[in-house]
């Protein structure tokens, strides 16, 4: 097995940063709730779309992680970008509830292919170079980059609405094509599993070892469940504020900046972890729980400023715990099942989102 030099590993991390930056600059994807609301869909219907997305994500998540472990993380990242382009094209030509639902399923597959795979590729690249201790810095920086660039995309929500959904998704297609090129430049990290000759044997081993690991690690299970619940509440508040803020009286001109400001909360939360590290995970959990509860309450305050502040605080709490969870899980799981087990984390998030999305959609109609 060829080892990475420190220079090679850091170059790989830089490409992953760039890939996340470009992939997050999809203006239609960042404002999909607002675009659907502008097309006449109700928040209840949008909540159903979100549930459909996460039902598909729940189905695809763990298998997609196994695909990454078996066939390679680079190939899976390329596939993710290709499928994201397909999803954007489908949204351009989808006019009915049914076809948009299908497009959401395809979008979920794109998300699943990258979820877990990105983290596994980053961690094992650093591990190959003997600098896996720098992973917490990657996890923090990657979330900051993602949140800042996705917030920049959201600040263009007014522009996306002005362009109309077809032109906005056409921009996403172009961005997706650029992402494919970046993913293709990544370097594969080989594991003992990826060198097995039998594909069937690889999948069987991934499934067996991942199941046993989760069965024997109750702490991992609890961390995954709690992290999923915090993330789901925070994200749903931000999603539905895209539709609720205009109803509260905010203009299209200020909608983008408001979404951008809330997104910055996530970036601050991710970066704060580097400087404030409580000795116990439970302390981080309490802080994050209080943050998302405050965000939920402020979303129903009827005041635009309080709602935006709440969104910022909730996003802060979500990423504050997300970075610590990511680092802890990666330090606890074996390389051969890393993408699969990190996908279980996203799988649980999807389960919680399926349950909460229609509930939040109905609540935000009140």
């Amino acid at each position: 097995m060829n080892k990475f030099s420190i220079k090679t590993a850091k170059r790989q991390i830089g490409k992953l940063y760039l890939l996340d930056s470009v992939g997050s600059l999809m203006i239609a994807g960042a404002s999909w709730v607002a675009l659907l609301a502008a097309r006449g869909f109700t928040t209840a219907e949008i909540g159903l779309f979100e549930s459909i997305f996460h039902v598909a994500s729940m189905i695809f998540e763990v298998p997609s992680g196994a695909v990454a472990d078996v066939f390679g993380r680079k190939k899976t990242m390329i596939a993710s970008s290709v499928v994201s382009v397909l999803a954007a094209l489908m949204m351009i030509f989808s006019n009915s509830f049914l076809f948009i639902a299908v497009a959401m399923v395809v979008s979920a597959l794109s998300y699943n292919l990258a979820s877990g795979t990105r983290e596994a590729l980053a961690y094992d690249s650093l591990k190959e170079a003997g600098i896996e201790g720098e992973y917490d810095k990657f996890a923090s920086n990657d979330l900051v980059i993602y949140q800042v660039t996705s917030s920049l995309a959201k600040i263009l929500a007014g522009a996306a609405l002005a362009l109309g959904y077809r032109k906005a998704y056409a921009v996403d297609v172009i961005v997706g094509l650029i992402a494919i090129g970046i993913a293709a430049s990544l370097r594969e990290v080989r594991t003992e599993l990826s060198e097995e000759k039998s594909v069937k044997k690889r999948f069987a081993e991934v499934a067996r070892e991942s199941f046993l690991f989760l069965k024997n690690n109750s702490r991992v299970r609890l961390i995954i469940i709690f992290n999923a619940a915090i993330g789901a509440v925070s994200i749903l508040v931000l999603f539905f504020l895209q539709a609720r803020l205009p109803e509260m009286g905010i203009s299209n001109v200020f909608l983008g900046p408001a979404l951008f400001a809330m997104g910055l909360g996530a970036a601050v939360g991710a970066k704060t972890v580097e400087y404030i590290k409580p000795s116990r995970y439970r302390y981080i959990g309490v802080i994050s729980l209080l943050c998302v509860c405050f965000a939920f309450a402020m979303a129903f305050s009827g005041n635009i400023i309080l709602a935006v502040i709440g969104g910022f605080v909730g996003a802060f709490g979500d990423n504050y715990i997300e970075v610590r969870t990511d680092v802890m899980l990666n330090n606890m799981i074996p390389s051969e099942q890393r993408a699969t087990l990190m996908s279980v984390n996203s799988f649980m998030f999807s389960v919680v989102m399926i349950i909460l999305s229609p509930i939040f959609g109905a609540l935000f109609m009140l």
Side-chain angles (χ1 to χ4, degrees), residues 5-125:
S5 66
I6 293 177
K7 182 178 180 180
T8 300
K10 290 188 174 182
R11 185 182 300 118
Q12 180 99 309
I13 294 301
K15 289 180 180 179
L16 287 171
Y17 286 152
L18 180 60
L19 182 58
D20 269 0
S21 299
V22 172
S24 301
L25 288 173
M26 293 186 169
I27 62 172
S31 306
W32 71 272
V33 173
L35 289 172
L36 286 177
R39 294 172 67 178
F41 291 95
T42 66
T43 54
E45 289 174 319
I46 293 171
L48 286 175
F49 285 134
E50 182 69 9
S51 287
I52 290 168
F53 176 95
H54 287 285
V55 167
S57 182
M58 183 180 67
I59 294 170
F60 296 141
E61 186 62 69
V62 177
S64 67
V67 166
D69 281 330
V70 170
F71 292 107
R73 286 79 186 264
K74 173 183 175 178
K75 292 177 182 177
T76 308
M77 292 299 291
I78 294 172
S80 172
S81 296
V82 170
V83 176
S84 72
V85 171
L86 177 59
L89 288 170
M90 292 181 69
M91 287 298 287
I92 291 174
F93 300 104
S94 297
N95 295 307
S96 66
F97 183 96
L98 176 61
F99 286 118
I100 290 177
V102 174
M104 295 297 286
V105 171
V106 176
S107 180
L109 177 59
S110 171
Y111 166 80
N112 293 145
L113 288 169
S115 174
T117 306
R118 177 195 308 104
E119 293 82 359
L121 182 57
Y123 189 91
D124 284 332
S125 295

Side-chain angles (χ1 to χ4, degrees), residues 278-288 320:
S279 58
R280 287 179 174 268
Y281 184 81
R282 68 179 63 181
Y283 296 157
I284 303 175
V286 170
I287 293 171
S288 299
Y320 186 56

